[in-house]
Amino acid sequence: MYTASALNQIEIALKTTIEMIETIEASDLQKRPASNKRSIGELLEHIAVICKADLLISNGATQKEMNEYYSSVSLISMKDVKDAILYNYETLKDSYMNLTETELHEQTTSYWGATYTRYEWLLEIVAHIYHHRAQLHTMLVYCYGKDLNILLFE
């Protein structure tokens, strides 16, 4: 039950992220809050792959494997981003809903040395998605003056 609840929170965050995406125009994708920060487009591409990338990390992917995964991603359009968000969430959900209680308590170690149980990795994914959703919201509202009128929490 607690796994389904965590996945539900991820789904809420991603649905509201998609609502934000629907307010963005192609000309917004190159905008940056600062010269050394991700553009809106780069942030969207990152958000789109979090579920799959973090799942790979939680399953022990090496740095080389992660670099290969990231370099294989090319999301050209907003539709590509939305489709990737939904697909990668379903991949995460399918993986986690098939784990046994014992598997949820197994510890795995990331390529940089962080060790968590699989359930703790899921909590990290929740936090990671909410963090970047907040960045996107902040960029759109405070940097570019968009009036989103989107409920971020139920």
Side-chain angles (χ1 to χ4, degrees):
M1 181 182 123
Y2 52 90
T3 299
S5 295
L7 288 164
N8 183 56
Q9 290 303 306
I10 292 171
E11 187 173 358
I12 291 166
L14 293 174
K15 281 183 178 180
T16 54
T17 299
I18 289 171
E19 288 179 45
M20 283 188 254
I21 291 169
E22 290 169 354
T23 72
I24 297 170
E25 297 175 30
S27 60
D28 294 326
L29 296 176
Q30 300 306 313
K31 293 178 179 175
R32 295 177 188 278
S35 62
N36 63 339
K37 299 297 179 189
R38 287 182 174 138
S39 69
I40 291 172
E42 290 164 344
L43 178 59
L44 290 176
E45 187 171 75
H46 180 70
I47 291 169
V49 301
I50 289 173
C51 287
K52 177 136 187 220
D54 286 6
L55 177 62
L56 293 170
I57 290 166
S58 73
N59 286 328
T62 65
Q63 186 171 12
K64 180 180 183 234
E65 290 168 330
M66 292 310 301
N67 289 341
E68 289 170 359
Y69 171 69
Y70 289 128
S71 66
S72 75
V73 174
S74 177
L75 304 174
I76 308 294
S77 70
M78 305 253 227
K79 181 183 181 326
D80 292 343
V81 169
K82 291 188 282 188
D83 289 348
I85 287 172
L86 296 171
Y87 178 80
N88 290 331
Y89 170 72
E90 287 301 320
T91 300
L92 176 72
K93 181 179 175 183
D94 290 346
S95 178
Y96 264 89
M97 291 307 292
N98 287 311
L99 294 176
T100 66
E101 191 74 22
T102 301
E103 290 169 326
L104 284 169
H105 291 288
E106 287 176 0
Q107 291 190 335
T108 61
T109 302
S110 69
Y111 65 84
W112 64 87
T115 300
Y116 298 120
T117 65
R118 290 186 188 281
Y119 184 70
E120 286 176 301
W121 280 114
L122 182 59
L123 296 179
E124 286 285 324
I125 296 167
V126 172
H128 193 182
I129 290 169
Y130 272 95
H131 164 73
H132 288 302
R133 184 189 72 162
Q135 281 184 321
L136 178 62
H137 184 269
T138 299
M139 288 170 71
L140 294 175
V141 172
Y142 298 107
C143 296
Y144 300 107
K146 289 198 177 278
D147 183 11
L148 299 178
N149 197 27
I150 293 171
L151 293 175
L152 298 178
F153 299 95
E154 289 185 338

